[in-house]
Amino acid sequence: MAVTLPEPVRALVDGKNFATVATLDADGGPQTSIVWVGLDDGDLVFSATEDRLKVRNLRRDPRASVSITDAENPYRHTQLRGTVTITPDPGKTLPKTLSHKYLGQDPPPEGDEVERVIVRLRVERIAGNVR
């Protein structure tokens, strides 16, 4: 069951804070990736290319954990756990939105052969220290 993100957690996601996504490799071992994140309709979202290991892992096992630490105060942090859905992003809109959030500019152009997807985490559990 999805949970509503409290305002302090939303503030961490809305800030220019990097997130670490943890997925499970085929052998059950952990795999982590640093990503930019945003919110869409209460879900955490990030962009990835179809060929990335995190996407392959999530297609096999949709469980994920995302940790976000406040860049200005590392004692403020949260961990969001849940399951993901992956949808195509043929217009590559999410990377543009996130690039404007984090850098204030468009991302570098990508060729048409690069397949972008939107990974949407439905948050089921929240932990951390976000007062």
Side-chain angles (χ1 to χ4, degrees), residues 31-47:
Q31 186 271 336
T32 61
S33 302
I34 306 296
V35 296
W36 291 341
V37 293
L39 287 173
D40 182 46
D41 198 27
D43 294 330
L44 182 113
V45 292
F46 64 90
S47 180

Side-chain angles (χ1 to χ4, degrees), residues 9-29:
V9 171
R10 292 179 70 83
L12 276 179
V13 176
D14 286 339
K16 293 182 181 182
N17 302 304
F18 292 91
T20 303
V21 176
T23 64
L24 295 173
D25 281 336
D27 67 1

Side-chain angles (χ1 to χ4, degrees), residues 6-131:
E7 186 52 42
V9 171
R10 292 179 70 83
L12 276 179
V13 176
D14 286 339
K16 293 182 181 182
N17 302 304
F18 292 91
T20 303
V21 176
T23 64
L24 295 173
D25 281 336
D27 67 1
Q31 186 271 336
T32 61
S33 302
I34 306 296
V35 296
W36 291 341
V37 293
L39 287 173
D40 182 46
D41 198 27
D43 294 330
L44 182 113
V45 292
F46 64 90
S47 180
T49 56
E50 185 64 50
D51 62 340
R52 301 306 297 219
L53 179 58
K54 63 182 158 281
V55 173
R56 293 193 310 269
N57 285 347
L58 290 167
R59 287 201 182 281
R60 188 185 60 262
D61 183 340
R63 296 175 297 166
S65 177
V66 177
S67 297
I68 306 168
T69 302
D70 187 329
E72 295 181 14
N73 178 2
Y75 293 102
R76 290 187 69 241
H77 58 89
T78 191
Q79 180 187 75
L80 309 175
R81 292 184 187 180
T83 55
V84 304
T85 56
I86 300 170
T87 56
D89 187 4
K92 301 179 182 179
T93 56
L94 185 56
K96 183 175 182 179
T97 299
L98 294 175
S99 184
H100 277 266
K101 170 186 166 182
Y102 283 86
L103 301 176
Q105 62 189 31
D106 282 347
E110 292 179 330
D112 291 338
E113 74 283 358
V114 177
E115 294 180 59
R116 282 266 165 198
V117 295
I118 298 170
V119 181
R120 176 179 299 274
L121 178 73
R122 181 177 180 186
V123 178
E124 298 162 358
R125 186 172 171 198
I126 301 171
N129 180 26
V130 287
R131 292 185 198 112

